[in-house]
Amino acid sequence: QVQLVESGGGLVQAGGSLRLSCAASGGTFSSYAMGWFRQAPGKEREFLATISMGGSITDYTNSVKGRFTISRDNAKNTVYLQMNSLKFEDTAVYYCAARPRVTSLSLNNYPTWGQGTQVTVSS
């Protein structure tokens, strides 16, 4: 089973950018659809973006469309989340997750999760 480790979080001013990375190991990365999620304090974990095994299909929640971009490099076993025009309300712990083959917008469909990386946006 694949293991996931996120990195790239930090403190950024509103309007700035960050790129999160999620490195996979221990499995065949290209056989997994990947997703990014986040959880703000006191809120439920929410879906942000998903990408298909080959990277040709992506989907986003409305609140990040046009600002966030999910991508993957199967040669490097890594999925990315490029975040632009960050807002204070983007402050959260960001998680990547993997599920075999098919993309999903539901966190309940992802059996494998990373430990999360904190993103803090200052206003």
Side-chain angles (χ1 to χ4, degrees):
Q1 184 171 339
V2 68
Q3 291 87 46
L4 305 173
V5 178
E6 302 95 334
S7 61
L11 176 64
V12 62
Q13 288 187 334
S17 299
L18 278 177
R19 188 177 80 156
L20 305 183
S21 299
C22 172
S25 62
T28 305
F29 180 67
S30 59
S31 67
Y32 290 88
M34 301 297 296
W36 282 99
F37 300 77
R38 70 185 178 190
Q39 188 167 16
K43 295 188 176 181
E44 294 185 348
R45 194 170 299 189
E46 63 171 339
F47 165 80
L48 297 177
T50 185
I51 188 167
S52 60
M53 292 184 292
S56 62
I57 299 171
T58 59
D59 201 357
Y60 300 87
T61 193
N62 286 339
S63 64
V64 306
K65 279 182 181 177
R67 298 193 300 125
F68 291 9
T69 302
I70 188 171
S71 62
R72 66 189 296 162
D73 185 338
N74 285 346
K76 295 183 178 180
N77 291 347
T78 302
V79 63
Y80 305 97
L81 186 68
Q82 177 67 44
M83 305 186 296
N84 299 328
S85 302
L86 282 162
K87 305 175 182 179
F88 175 76
E89 51 264 39
D90 292 320
T91 296
V93 178
Y94 284 68
Y95 299 89
C96 67
R99 76 182 301 258
R101 297 186 296 278
V102 183
T103 60
S104 174
L105 278 61
S106 173
L107 62 89
N108 293 323
N109 289 335
Y110 287 82
T112 304
W113 292 80
Q115 83 290 348
T117 186
Q118 176 71 46
V119 172
T120 303
V121 184
S122 61
S123 57

